[in-house]
Every structure is written in structure tokens, then in C-alpha cells.
Amino acid sequence: AKLERCDAVLMESIAAASVRRLADGDPQHWANTAWALATLQVRHQPFLEAMSLRSRATMREFGPQEVANVAWSVARLMFVDVPLLQALTSKAMTALRSGNIQNITNTLWAMAQIKFKNQTLFNTLAQEAARTIADFRPRDLSITAWSYARCEVRDDTLMDAIAAAALARQGEFRGIGVVELSLVPLLVGHPAPAAAVRAAEAAMATHPEEFSMQELANVQWSFAALRYCDPPLIASLSSSFASRLRRASGGPPLAEEPLRTQNIVNTAWALDSLGALQPGAEELFGQIIGAFQERCAGTWAFEWVTLASTAEKQGFAAAVPEFMGAFASRALDPARRFLERLRAAPDDGASAAVERELQEWVDRVQLPHLGAAHTPAALRAAGVVPVGPGAAWVECARHAVLRTA
């Protein structure tokens, strides 16, 4: 496992043999076996089930390393065994007080990965982490921050300590660490995005190549969701993203990482939300559309809606006629035809049949909406008469929503 070389037949044989001999070993042995299988992504169900039973029976013998290794292993293999997780959680509250930082962060990551939230455990580990924060590496800081954010556990004392430590060591962060930090204020409402911004700026200035396309997209998405705009950072991120698009344009995906349409669309949405796609950014938007169209086979309809809505909003639609035509044929026109059929249905039975067909199509292509720019056309197809914002029924509806919100 340390060599990251997996012989599937060998590992299956080792796992099967381990099932028969679990009673002969101690916790360290099967914790190490679980770690090796998880590292190589070998999910041997009989071993996991037997290891769970044996671990729960001997949990009193577990030390901090065994707790962390087993927790990390079952999370990596997505083996969600609630009795085992409860036993690990109970043991971790005492064992990890004498463990090292890696054991703490591995356990936190494991519980967050499978979203097994135990408030008492997170409170206990927050105290331990805050006490030893000066010894945390940047990776430890970002994992801890991400873990609390993913489980939506807010501990301002710990987050303040992480933010202060991150600001002090901002130049040491790399791509994924910045992503994890940037998610904290979004998910738990801690009002300190400055640590993530400074870490991202430092990382982009010194190690921009260490951001993957996924990480570039995620950082921009996080700040856009927060409506937190740092112009120098966004300019740096968008410049790096544009250079990757140029390298990938007209050819196969980048050798080091596939260029996925989800990252393209999320980046376009983020840049638009943060005001980075104002008139004058036609070239960047054209690169985004070009890269998307080269890889649009099998894409979801909502991705087309996001890009088409951005094009209309920023006045770029005329510059990308081929894309807008494809959007109409894939999403807008079929939706309008369904709504026209619904409007023309002669009776309730026919109407219900069209509704079922429409719902099946929406689910299949993943089209939850058509965006602000194209919804009015769809409503007209359904026979809805546009009304002004001051219409009486609109005001009544707004007040009803406010009363029940």
C-alpha cells in the first residue's frame, strides 16, 4: 500500500485470510490491514464486516493510532457501519487526547467524509486542536476547517485560531488547502474569509500550477456563493483558468487533468456573480463557451441554462450564436413545446399525461429551470399572461410568502 501498487488478486486473498484470523491478531494488525485496503481502494465486504464486529468487541484495547486508522479506512471505503462509528466516537473522546495531530485530523476527516456528526466528539476535538494549533501544518489546518464546515459544526474559538494560524502561514498553502479554508465561512457562517483570501493570493502568486482545474473552480465558486469579491484574487484565478482553457482548446483534455464541463460552468457562474464577466470580457467568455462545446457530449441541461443565462445577462449572446442555437434545440425549444401541448390539452386526462411526460423529460435531462432570461418565453408558451410587478395578485402572493417564511 505504501508503494501504491495494487495487485487485486493478492489483496483479495489477504483480506479473505484476515477474516479467518482476526481473532488471532491485535487491533494494530487489523487496523493496519484496513488502512492498506483503503489506501488501495479494495473494498472487501466480508473483511469490513468481520473487522467491525471484532473492533467493537475489543475497542477498549484501541489506542489513538488504531482509532484514527480504522475511522479513516471505513470512511475512505464508504463503509458506514453505525455501531462501529459510535464505538470509535466514544473511544476517540479519550484516546485522541493523548494522540498526535495526524490522528486528530484523520479522525475528523473520516467523520466529516461520511457526515457522521457527533457534537460531543467535535467539541472535544476542537479543544484539543485549539490547544495544539501552533503545531498544525497548513494541511492540518485546512482539513480541520473543512471537517467542521462539512458537518456544519460551528466553533468560533477554533475557527478564529485556524484563521490566525492560516494568516501567519499563508505562503505555505497549496490548492486543496485553500479550497478547504474557503468553504468554512460558506458552510458554518464564520465571518472570516480573509484567511482563505490571503492564503489563496499567496498560493496563486507563488504556486499557481499547484491548483487543479477543480480547485480553481471550487475557490471561485466558494467566494461567489459568499458574495465576497477580492478583485486581485479573482483576477488571478480567472487568468489562471483562462490560460488552462487556452492550453486545452482545440485538442484533447489536459494531460495532467481532464477538463470537465462542471468546472467550466461553475467558473462562469462564479465570475458572473462576482462581476468579472462585465462587457469587455467577451474573449474570456468565448474561451469558456468554446471549451464547453468541445466537451458537451452527455452534459446536463442545467449547465446549458447557466451559460445561456450568463450570455444573455452580459450581452454576449450575439457573439456565441452556435452555442445559443444548441441551447435552444437542447433545452428551450423542447420545454416550450411541452408547455404548448399542456396548454392545448383538451381535458384533465390529457393534461395529466403531458405533465407526466414533461416530468420524465425534466428528470432525464436535468432541467430544474430555464433561467431568468428564458423563463418568460416558457411562461408565454404555457399561456401565462405577463403582469407588472405591482399587480394586486402579485402583492398578495408576496405577502403570503412573507407570512409563512
Side-chain angles (χ1 to χ4, degrees):
K2 283 185 174 292
L3 295 174
E4 298 183 357
R5 297 186 62 179
C6 182
D7 184 308
V9 175
L10 174 61
M11 297 309 296
E12 289 283 341
S13 298
I14 290 174
S18 297
V19 172
R20 296 190 296 270
R21 304 185 62 180
L22 274 177
D24 300 333
D26 59 32
Q28 183 180 1
H29 292 147
W30 64 76
N32 287 346
T33 302
W35 175 87
L37 293 173
T39 299
L40 297 174
Q41 288 285 279
V42 176
R43 196 180 194 279
H44 190 276
Q45 189 72 15
F47 171 80
L48 292 172
E49 293 174 357
M51 185 268 295
S52 172
L53 287 172
R54 186 63 179 158
S55 295
R56 282 180 277 146
T58 59
M59 189 59 65
R60 64 185 180 280
E61 300 175 20
F62 272 49
Q65 185 73 56
E66 288 74 44
V67 170
N69 278 2
V70 171
W72 182 88
S73 300
V74 297
R76 182 169 169 81
L77 293 172
M78 294 306 292
F79 177 68
V80 182
D81 183 292
V82 173
L84 174 61
L85 293 171
Q86 290 172 334
L88 287 168
T89 296
S90 179
K91 184 67 176 181
M93 291 182 199
T94 55
L96 292 182
R97 289 186 178 277
S98 59
N100 63 22
I101 291 170
Q102 186 175 1
N103 291 337
I104 293 173
T105 56
N106 280 354
T107 303
L108 283 171
W109 176 89
M111 298 303 174
Q113 178 68 11
I114 52 182
K115 300 203 81 170
F116 188 78
K117 179 179 175 180
N118 182 293
Q119 188 72 46
T120 304
L121 173 65
F122 275 85
N123 290 345
T124 300
L125 295 185
Q127 296 173 8
E128 187 67 14
R131 184 181 66 81
T132 57
I133 203 75
D135 298 323
F136 274 45
R137 302 166 300 171
R139 188 77 179 103
D140 300 322
L141 293 171
S142 61
I143 288 174
T144 302
W146 175 86
S147 299
Y148 278 79
R150 179 169 168 78
C151 284
E152 300 180 15
V153 177
R154 179 165 179 170
D155 188 301
D156 283 351
T157 300
L158 175 60
M159 291 302 140
D160 288 341
I162 290 174
L167 287 170
R169 306 179 67 176
Q170 56 189 352
E172 300 175 42
F173 279 82
R174 300 294 183 265
I176 188 62
V178 173
V179 173
E180 290 162 343
L181 278 180
S182 69
L183 288 170
V184 172
L186 177 64
L187 295 179
V188 299
H190 185 267
V197 172
R198 300 287 87 79
E201 287 179 342
M204 289 301 299
T206 56
H207 302 280
E209 72 286 349
E210 295 191 17
F211 279 80
S212 68
M213 293 292 282
Q214 181 76 55
E215 290 159 359
L216 288 171
N218 284 358
V219 171
Q220 293 177 94
W221 180 87
S222 297
F223 290 127
L226 286 166
R227 296 294 189 268
Y228 187 93
C229 184
D230 183 84
L233 172 61
I234 298 305
S236 181
L237 289 167
S238 60
S239 175
S240 181
F241 195 86
S243 69
R244 307 283 184 91
L245 290 179
R246 286 192 293 271
R247 286 163 52 195
S249 180
L254 294 174
E256 66 270 22
E257 180 193 6
L259 181 54
R260 297 182 174 88
T261 57
Q262 181 185 8
N263 295 335
I264 297 171
V265 172
N266 284 350
T267 298
W269 176 84
L271 293 175
D272 178 46
S273 299
L274 294 171
L277 285 181
Q278 301 291 343
E282 289 90 346
E283 181 179 355
L284 173 58
F285 189 74
Q287 291 172 351
I288 290 172
I289 293 298
F292 178 82
Q293 286 187 280
E294 289 173 5
R295 297 160 177 83
C296 64
T299 48
W300 298 116
F302 65 79
E303 296 179 319
W304 289 84
V305 169
T306 299
L307 293 177
S309 298
T310 302
E312 293 284 3
K313 176 184 175 183
Q314 299 298 346
F316 298 154
V320 288
E322 182 182 347
F323 168 80
M324 295 303 295
F327 160 70
S329 64
R330 283 172 174 255
L332 183 58
D333 291 346
R336 291 171 63 176
R337 286 194 291 270
F338 272 116
L339 293 171
E340 287 167 353
R341 287 173 55 198
L342 189 61
R343 177 184 182 184
D347 52 48
D348 289 347
S351 177
V354 176
E355 286 178 3
R356 286 194 298 272
E357 192 177 346
L358 171 59
Q359 187 62 57
E360 289 172 0
W361 176 76
V362 166
D363 292 341
R364 185 172 67 253
V365 303
Q366 289 293 293
L367 184 69
H369 62 84
L370 286 165
H374 303 100
T375 296
L379 291 176
R380 285 192 294 273
V384 176
V385 179
V387 297
W393 75 267
V394 173
E395 295 301 318
C396 290
R398 181 175 291 115
H399 289 309
V401 169
L402 291 174
R403 284 196 303 272
T404 58

